[in-house]
């Protein structure tokens, strides 16, 4: 069911204009209105899900596969040299639009994204003991029926 107050549902329903770059029965993709690189694309399921947590596996895979194809098209056509593909999941992860979406960010040599620089500045030291505990915790969680 489309959500009346959801901006991406309204884009899917063509109630709000967008620069559509891809559409199929399940998925739509359009240019991000505040791009951090030229050709920054947002890929959404046509059905409303808040995020990763409430999407069914098939809908999630449909969106990811569209992101894969858009990314491939960008690189094959030399529109970009590579891409970053990412999802903000939950407000703590800086999700701001609560309709599941994948960012496809075109990357070009010498662009100003500086992902590695930012990443390196965040790297933490975690002891071997804590790494083992975390691994055990995650294995147990994944064993639950998700
Ligand atoms: P986030 O929820 O942080 O993953 O990001 C939401 C993204 O949606 C931001 O990059 C916004 O610029 C983008 N956005 C918000 N409204 C629109 C819109 N009307 N058309 C296209 N992109 C949008
Ligand atoms: Zn929605």
């Amino acid at each position: 069911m489309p959500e009346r107050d959801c901006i991406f549902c309204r884009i899917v329903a063509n109630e709000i204009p967008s620069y559509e770059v891809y559409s199929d029965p399940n998925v739509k993709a359009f240019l991000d209105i505040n791009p951090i690189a030229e050709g920054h694309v947002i890929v959404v399921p046509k059905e409303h899900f808040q995020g990763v947590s409430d999407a069914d596996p098939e809908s999630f895979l449909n969106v990811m596969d569209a992101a894969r194809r858009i990314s491939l098209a960008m690189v094959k056509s030399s529109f970009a040299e590579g891409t970053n593909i990412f999802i903000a999941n939950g407000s703590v992860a800086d999700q701001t639009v609560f309709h599941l979406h994948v960012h496809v960010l075109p990357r070009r040599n010498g662009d100003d994204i500086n992902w590695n620089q930012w990443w390196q500045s965040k790297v933490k030291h975690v002891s071997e003991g804590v790494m083992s505990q975390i691994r055990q915790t995650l294995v147990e969680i994944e064993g639950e029926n998700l």
Side-chain angles (χ1 to χ4, degrees), residues 118-132:
W118 171 81
W119 192 279
Q120 288 304 321
S121 77
K122 301 294 174 199
V123 170
K124 315 277 186 297
H125 174 75
V126 181
S127 70
E128 284 184 24
V130 173
M131 290 283 242
S132 289

Side-chain angles (χ1 to χ4, degrees), residues 4-95:
R4 275 199 60 72
D5 298 334
C6 172
I7 193 147
F8 287 173
C9 280
R10 298 189 67 198
I11 287 176
V12 167
N14 293 316
E15 290 172 17
I16 292 178
S18 70
Y19 293 93
E20 181 180 300
V21 298
Y22 176 83
S23 181
D24 69 29
N26 303 308
V27 176
K28 178 163 173 155
F30 47 87
L31 296 183
D32 193 303
I33 200 140
N34 288 128
I36 60 171
E38 286 185 11
H40 179 173
V41 167
I42 299 284
V43 191
V44 303
K46 288 189 171 172
E47 189 176 341
H48 179 88
F49 302 101
Q50 292 231 342
V52 173
S53 310
D54 62 330
D56 62 88
E58 192 182 342
S59 301
F60 185 77
L61 287 174
N62 286 337
V63 176
M64 292 308 291
D65 192 50
R68 178 188 67 82
R69 276 181 281 146
I70 291 163
S71 168
L72 206 63
M74 284 177 176
V75 174
K76 272 196 158 182
S77 65
S78 302
F79 179 77
E81 289 161 76
T83 56
N84 290 114
I85 298 174
F86 60 93
I87 299 174
N89 183 37
S91 50
V92 73
D94 298 313
Q95 183 177 0

